[in-house]
Amino acid sequence: MQHSATPPDPRREPRAFLEHLYRAAVHRALPLHNTAPFLPPPPKGRTLVLGAGKAGGAMAQAVEALWPAGAPLSGLVVTRYGHVPPRPPGLAGRIEVVEAAHPVPDAAGLAAARRILSLAHGLTPDDLVLCLISGGGSALLTLPAEGLELADKQRINRDLLASGANIAEMNCVRKHLSRIKGGRLAAACAPARVVTLAISDVPGDDPSTIASGPTVPDATSCADAVAILQRYAIDVPGAIMSLLEQGAMETPKPDDAVFAGHAVHLIATPQQSLEAAAAAARAAGLAAHVLSDEIEGESREVGKVHAALARAVARHGQPFARPCVILSGGETTVTVRRPPAGSAPGRGGRAGEFCLGLAQALQGQPGVWALAADTDGIDGMEDNAGAFVGPDTLARAAAAGMKVDAHLQRNDAYGYFGALGDLVVTGPTHTNVNDFRALLVL
């Protein structure tokens, strides 16, 4: 997406200014800007590129642009439908990119995972595997364990997404129910050397959690997966639960020799993107404060906490002086509620739900504007990246006959902010460093 170095005036155009900060954050995480320092030299043998994630198409193009023209290069990467960026003029296509469904896997993702695992076999010590991993890879790279069907994985995925489980918990389960995640892809590549380039979308930047770590060791256990499934009452076939309880579906561990000589590089992280947004705010003459890149919790509750902080700044100049920008990232969760009788299920994602909780708790506080959006450009399963909140949000909604409580009851952020014209729509950004939140307090 395009990013201008000239910021809008935050006092005259608060929404445009917050969108400018979002674009600065996304721009910092684009693969073409971050890949070159981490590419190894071409090997004696062949170079195979394998990958999965929402940034997969852009990561593949970055490697194609940067890899020596005369050095062999081939491979297969799977990304989300609609997330392949336009090919730059003159850039030769050397890596195949296919598309599949996210966040619930589909047959196209299953076919891609089978092909990727097949390509990994038969390599030699002279070969190099470049693995391009980004958020979304868990759903896109789906290859159910023996005894599980795609329909089982789809249902378990849906149940996990609706349960309120955090990303580390979801990916622990996914790793143990897979034939390719949790280090198993790296094991299949032996004896070739594996270099993983990853864009982090997870709190803490743990490579084993990003896309469920297909090329890195897994420190979690079958017992951990069982505990998570029980904690959130996620149903799995009895035979699979028995295998998990017996430890028969264990993943390769950190001391496994299969990972010797491998390398993992984080080419873009949430913290780097938040710092880029902070720099853009400071360039406009505003103080900027990054709370954390690791904020988790129920989206609406995180929104309320951010509102309390913004109100304290607006009213008392504490803990930060006005004017300022407050930034945060991480990965919040949404527990999907049963809609009240007679009402349709709502639409929306984490960013929108954060904005509902924020608007409710701000109560029209003067001088506070906010934007929350997912850096991949898609909030949940909708076509918006997130939403915008201003001092007049509740009043305009009330004039339109909408109550924020009613929309929260059925997780309908999309309906609420769509009716107000306050959805933030960017289209796919071709990267993914997860949640971005910016509060402007004047």
Side-chain angles (χ1 to χ4, degrees):
M1 63 190 302
Q2 294 298 311
H3 171 61
S4 167
T6 305
D9 185 332
R11 289 167 180 81
R12 294 182 179 179
E13 302 178 273
R15 175 171 177 164
F17 177 73
L18 290 170
E19 290 175 344
H20 169 76
L21 300 187
Y22 171 79
R23 288 192 295 271
V26 168
H27 187 80
R28 175 64 180 84
L30 291 175
L32 190 59
H33 307 153
N34 299 293
T35 300
F38 302 107
L39 284 177
K44 284 187 196 175
R46 53 189 288 239
T47 298
L48 177 67
V49 178
L50 304 175
K54 295 177 194 172
M59 294 178 85
Q61 287 186 7
V63 172
E64 288 171 331
L66 296 166
W67 201 249
L73 186 71
S74 64
L76 177 63
V77 171
V78 57
T79 191
R80 183 176 177 165
Y81 291 121
H83 282 243
V84 179
R87 178 162 291 277
L91 179 63
R94 298 193 273 175
I95 302 164
E96 183 183 356
V97 179
V98 298
E99 297 175 301
H102 177 279
V104 177
D106 70 353
L110 177 64
R114 282 182 174 144
R115 289 182 60 199
I116 285 171
L117 193 62
S118 175
L119 287 169
H121 292 294
L123 299 171
T124 75
D126 289 336
D127 297 329
L128 169 70
V129 179
L130 280 178
C131 278
L132 309 180
I133 302 299
S134 57
S138 292
L140 294 164
L141 199 65
T142 189
L143 194 57
E146 297 291 344
L148 271 182
E149 300 298 326
L150 175 60
D152 296 318
K153 285 295 289 284
Q154 289 171 326
R155 180 187 53 74
I156 292 166
N157 232 48
R158 286 193 192 96
D159 290 349
L160 282 168
L161 288 165
S163 71
N166 68 35
I167 189 64
E169 291 172 323
M170 286 195 283
N171 286 0
C172 172
V173 171
R174 287 160 159 168
K175 283 187 270 195
H176 286 89
L177 299 183
S178 172
R179 279 183 280 154
I180 197 167
K181 302 184 181 81
R184 292 186 174 98
L185 178 57
C189 291
R193 180 173 180 239
V194 177
V195 174
T196 300
L197 306 183
I199 294 178
S200 173
D201 71 326
V202 300
D205 301 331
D206 179 359
S208 73
T209 302
I210 304 165
S212 299
T215 59
V216 295
D218 176 33
T220 70
S221 67
C222 284
D224 294 327
V226 169
I228 292 162
L229 290 166
Q230 292 174 340
R231 182 177 311 137
Y232 295 102
I234 307 294
D235 183 48
V236 298
I240 295 298
M241 183 60 89
S242 295
L243 289 171
L244 286 171
E245 290 172 342
Q246 296 162 20
M249 303 177 75
E250 207 46 272
T251 46
K253 299 305 172 204
D255 59 355
D256 195 311
V258 75
F259 300 107
H262 292 198
V264 179
H265 303 291
L266 294 176
I267 70 168
T269 67
Q271 182 67 23
Q272 290 169 350
S273 284
L274 291 173
E275 288 171 355
R282 291 172 189 136
L286 292 174
H289 309 281
V290 177
L291 296 183
S292 172
D293 68 336
E294 297 188 41
I295 292 178
E296 298 181 86
E298 194 69 26
S299 294
R300 63 180 67 189
E301 302 303 326
V302 174
K304 292 174 186 176
V305 172
H306 280 63
L309 176 60
R311 283 164 69 93
V313 172
R315 293 176 172 189
H316 309 298
Q318 294 178 335
F320 309 127
R322 294 184 294 122
C324 70
V325 170
I326 301 166
L327 299 160
S328 74
E331 181 161 11
T332 59
T333 51
V334 172
T335 302
V336 178
R337 271 74 172 169
R338 186 187 299 274
S343 62
R347 298 169 63 192
R350 299 190 310 261
E353 183 119 345
F354 168 90
C355 287
L356 281 179
L358 179 81
Q360 182 186 51
L362 279 174
Q363 287 297 308
Q365 174 66 47
V368 178
W369 294 263
L371 180 150
D374 198 310
T375 51
D376 67 2
I378 304 296
D379 188 22
M381 300 177 71
E382 305 302 336
D383 59 3
N384 65 312
F388 173 79
V389 174
D392 62 348
T393 294
L394 293 184
R396 287 189 295 120
M402 295 191 299
K403 294 182 179 179
V404 71
D405 287 350
H407 285 262
L408 274 169
Q409 282 176 9
R410 51 195 186 91
N411 305 105
D412 189 34
Y414 191 94
Y416 187 86
F417 291 106
L420 295 176
D422 284 343
L423 294 175
V424 175
V425 180
T426 64
T429 64
H430 309 119
T431 190
N432 181 20
V433 287
N434 232 310
D435 298 347
F436 173 86
R437 296 176 287 268
L439 283 70
L440 171 65
V441 188
L442 298 179

